[in-house]
Amino acid sequence: MKIYTCEGSRGLRATWAAEEIGLDYELVMMPFPPRAFAKEYFAVNPLGTVPALVADGQVMTESSAIAHYLAARHSPGNLVVNVEEPDFGPFLDYLHHADATLTFPQTVRLRFCMFEVERGLQEAGEAYGTWFGKRLIKIDQRLADRDFLCADRFTVADIAIAYALHLTDMTKLSHLLSPRLTEWLEQMRARPGFVRAVAREQAELAAPKAAGLTPAR
């Protein structure tokens, strides 16, 4: 099992899930963006995006889907909410809400306000930041009287949503989080699985680099 990622990227969802489960995997850290600085990565993921999971003869490239796959495959009944449980619908909803609604606008802000300022589209980036802030109400209300999003236990839906909130440190939107969301995010970041995932990234970045990447098989 191999996970390709960049420091602090959405790949953290994949490594966090793997660490929560206790999986044995190889972590490949790349410069950002890999499509520009690690062109050999296109042999693994033709989109050039991160993360990518190579496992069981397959390649997956969507971070929330990877976390869900790892949990369903290796931790059924624990980090996933199963179809027969009452919170199965909300589980899927929050899992997809994480990227479609909460992460996407932040990536637009990063691109136009930080990475490609010379394009003169900062106003659009700021608008997406405001759009993101207004859509926090859904999880703010959900977490008002509970510790976890679904089924009264920690699941990959919490991983997916928590990463979207964690990203606000990079996008400089953390001031939009309510006191409850700020508190909940700190609780999620205090989990041993999250701590190990971040430490694993740092350890791999500090390790001597091998020549090239191994293509997917």
Side-chain angles (χ1 to χ4, degrees):
M1 183 182 297
K2 186 176 293 189
I3 298 173
Y4 295 84
T5 190
C6 297
E7 182 181 9
S9 75
R10 280 180 266 198
L12 191 56
R13 287 180 174 135
T15 53
W16 186 359
E19 292 294 338
E20 289 280 350
I21 299 166
L23 294 176
D24 181 21
Y25 64 98
E26 179 181 350
L27 184 62
V28 181
M29 300 297 297
M30 296 178 294
F32 182 84
R35 63 180 177 273
F37 300 112
K39 292 187 180 297
E40 65 270 33
Y41 177 57
F42 283 111
V44 178
N45 175 11
L47 297 176
T49 57
V50 290
L53 170 73
V54 179
D56 303 317
Q58 303 176 35
V59 179
M60 298 180 65
T61 61
E62 294 296 330
S63 61
S64 292
I66 291 170
H68 190 188
Y69 172 84
L70 293 176
R73 186 91 174 195
H74 301 283
S75 185
N78 184 17
L79 294 182
V80 295
V81 177
N82 295 312
V83 65
E84 68 275 7
E85 296 183 76
D87 268 2
F88 176 66
F91 169 74
L92 292 180
D93 192 50
Y94 286 106
L95 187 65
H96 293 279
H97 180 72
D99 244 7
T101 302
L102 298 183
T103 305
F104 168 71
Q106 294 192 80
T107 62
V108 175
R109 176 178 164 79
L110 274 174
R111 182 172 184 175
F112 292 155
C113 295
M114 299 177 191
F115 296 154
E116 300 178 8
V117 178
E118 69 281 358
R119 297 183 64 181
L121 296 172
Q122 295 97 319
E123 186 175 348
E126 295 293 350
Y128 269 97
T130 301
W131 189 91
F132 161 78
K134 291 180 177 179
R135 279 150 184 81
L136 290 169
I137 188 172
K138 178 173 177 172
I139 53 171
D140 201 8
Q141 292 181 350
R142 180 74 172 181
L143 292 167
D145 58 354
R146 64 183 73 204
D147 293 326
F148 306 109
L149 286 164
C150 305
D152 295 321
R153 66 178 184 270
F154 179 80
T155 69
V156 290
D158 296 294
I159 289 177
I161 292 290
Y163 174 76
L165 302 189
H166 173 71
L167 185 61
T168 62
D169 285 346
M170 184 183 300
T171 58
K172 302 187 186 307
L173 294 174
S174 59
H175 63 282
L176 298 177
L177 303 183
S178 69
R180 173 56 186 143
L181 290 183
T182 300
E183 174 190 42
W184 182 78
L185 175 59
E186 291 311 309
Q187 292 170 348
M188 294 297 102
R189 291 198 283 206
R191 289 186 64 87
F194 178 86
V195 174
R196 287 194 299 269
V198 172
R200 180 75 182 270
E201 283 193 357
Q202 295 305 309
E204 292 296 332
L205 287 170
K209 301 296 184 294
L213 301 176
T214 303
R217 293 182 177 86

